[in-house]
Every structure is written in C-alpha cells, then in structure tokens.
Amino acid sequence: MLIPISLCALSVTIAAKGGLWNVGVEGQFYMGAVAATGVALAFPNLPSIILIPLMFIAGAVSGGIVCYICTIPKVKWGISEILTTILINSVVMQFVYYLVRFAWKDQTTAAAQTPEFVDAAKLGILIPGSRVHVGLIIALVIIIYVAYLMKSTVFGYELRAIGQNSQGAKYAGINIKKYIYLTMFISGCLAGIAGMLEVSGVVHRLQTSISNDYGFSGFVIAWVSQLSVPAIMAVSYTHLRAHETSLHLVCRLLLE
C-alpha cells in the first residue's frame, strides 16, 4: 500500500505546485493499471526485461494522457480542472468494469477479473515471504528525482512561480499554458505508474478493487505533507500504520 499511496500523493503534489488541482488521481491510477494489463496480456511471451519496461511506459503514458485530456477544457474554455478530473474517475471506472466483465474477463472463473499475468509480467519480491516488491525501489527513485526536479531545475522554479503568482509568472515571460499541460501530464504519469506497479507487483491481474482509495488517500496525504516531496513517503507510512491500528481496534471490538 505504501508504494501506490506515495506515488498518488506525489501526483497531487506536483500538480498543486503549479496551482492546479488533480482530483482524478484514482481514475489515472486505474488507467495505468489498464494499460499495463493490456501489454501483459498482449505479449505474454516477451522476456521480463522487455515486458516490464513496456508495461511501465504504457501505464505512465496512459495516466498522463487521461490527465492531459482533462486539462484541455481549462486551457481552451476556462473550465475548472477540478470538475473534469473528478468526472474522468467515473468514465475510467466504467471502462474497467467493461474490461473485467466482458472484453478481458478470465473465463475460468466467475469473478470479474482478467487472467493472471505470466511470471515475466510480475515484479520481483524484495523481501521473501512479504508483498514488498521491486516497485518500492522504483517509487523511491521517482520521489528522489521529483524532489530534485522541483528544487534544483528551471522547470521546478518556474512551476513554483506559476503556482505562487500566475500573473507575475506570465509577465516574467513564462509560458503558462505549456506548463499547465506539461504539469498535468506528469501528474497523470505518476498516478499511472502507481497503477502499473500495483497490478504488476501485487495483484497480478486487473480487478475493479485493486485500489483501496489510493487516489483519494494520496490527495489527503499530499496536503498533510504540506506539498513537501521529501515528506510524502514518511507521511504515507504514518498513514498506513494509523490505518492498520484502526483496523486492529475495530476487529478487537467486534470479537469482544
């Protein structure tokens, strides 16, 4: 859970740094999972060294495209990205329902799910006997890189400038529209990667329940972290520990 939640929180954070609200992380997460699943099912004979990167790219790009599409009405007609990103969640979920119940349904079971991935499409386990997979390393690398991108590059400086004062940034010669498109695309890519890592590292098939509200949890964690990229992983871990403790207490009350 730590991996998808932290990446979803990072997705919200990078959009918010530019003064944008990406409320469609859940839908972008599922779109990344859909694309990764499509690659895994279409090319089961490819070796892992080729298949996993293809799934990664497909998941990232598909999540980015969904978020990019939601940005067009804002740039063209001034329609709030809050509205479009919220609406896209329902559209993507209906698409997922169709895939797992009809187009890609596993015909060997009555459950609404796709066939299980071949071994080559599954991320390796880091700690034997646990669910901790290679995606943890990937998530850490992405978080470190995004932290560097935001603090030490021209892109990060100009993005923060837009988020703090868009009119001032415009007068300074920054292309606001370009940054809106680029920022939302990157934000969607991060959510799509989270979806890809979840289906490849944990679930190994597409289901309607692969996200335990990771997108919405990520939204909360991003703001609890005060949009601090380095703090996201720590806050995500704290959130999980609190969630586990709450579940433990509820179970004890029910049993007693």
Side-chain angles (χ1 to χ4, degrees):
M1 291 176 67
L2 178 63
I3 299 169
I5 285 181
S6 59
L7 286 176
C8 287
L10 189 64
S11 173
V12 174
T13 298
I14 198 166
K17 288 286 188 180
L20 300 165
W21 293 79
N22 182 6
V23 197
V25 174
E26 189 83 358
Q28 295 147 28
F29 172 94
Y30 270 100
M31 203 63 218
V34 166
T37 300
V39 172
L41 297 179
F43 306 105
N45 297 321
L46 287 178
S48 183
I49 195 171
I50 297 176
L51 186 56
I52 294 294
L54 282 178
M55 293 169 64
F56 182 89
I57 294 170
V61 172
S62 61
I65 289 174
V66 168
C67 196
Y68 183 92
I69 291 172
C70 294
T71 310
I72 296 175
K74 177 181 179 64
V75 176
K76 296 291 186 182
W77 306 294
I79 299 173
S80 173
E81 73 280 6
I82 297 175
L83 176 62
T84 54
T85 52
I86 286 177
L87 291 176
I88 204 67
N89 289 327
S90 298
V91 175
V92 172
M93 285 309 303
Q94 290 300 318
F95 183 50
V96 173
Y97 291 149
Y98 167 74
L99 292 176
V100 299
R101 291 175 179 172
F102 300 102
W104 293 351
K105 187 181 186 305
D106 184 358
Q107 299 301 326
T108 64
T109 176
Q113 60 187 21
T114 65
E116 185 175 357
F117 295 172
V118 296
D119 289 342
K122 300 176 183 178
L123 289 171
I125 297 297
L126 285 178
I127 303 175
S130 73
R131 300 176 69 184
V132 181
H133 54 81
V134 177
L136 178 62
I137 298 175
I138 297 174
L140 286 172
V141 170
I142 291 173
I143 290 173
I144 292 170
Y145 177 73
V146 171
Y148 165 79
L149 187 72
M150 296 304 300
K151 277 191 168 290
S152 306
T153 66
V154 174
F155 171 82
Y157 170 77
E158 293 186 340
L159 180 63
R160 295 198 310 274
I162 293 171
Q164 293 169 5
N165 187 343
S166 60
Q167 289 301 317
K170 183 178 180 179
Y171 290 138
I174 299 175
N175 189 331
I176 305 295
K177 290 183 179 180
K178 182 189 77 172
Y179 269 89
I180 290 176
Y181 280 129
L182 183 58
T183 302
M184 291 295 272
F185 179 77
I186 294 173
S187 177
C189 283
L190 293 170
I193 290 170
M196 175 270 165
L197 294 179
E198 187 68 9
V199 291
S200 181
V202 178
V203 188
H204 303 146
R205 65 174 83 228
L206 181 64
Q207 299 171 330
T208 57
S209 58
I210 60 171
S211 171
N212 189 18
D213 289 333
Y214 294 146
F216 301 112
S217 296
F219 192 88
V220 173
I221 288 170
W223 289 99
V224 170
S225 304
Q226 297 183 343
L227 303 181
S228 170
V229 175
I232 283 175
M233 187 65 79
V235 176
S236 297
Y237 178 76
T238 303
H239 167 80
L240 289 179
R241 295 300 299 171
H243 180 67
E244 290 172 359
T245 302
S246 299
L247 287 177
H248 178 68
L249 290 174
V250 169
C251 289
R252 284 188 60 185
L253 289 172
L254 290 174
L255 291 174
E256 289 175 359

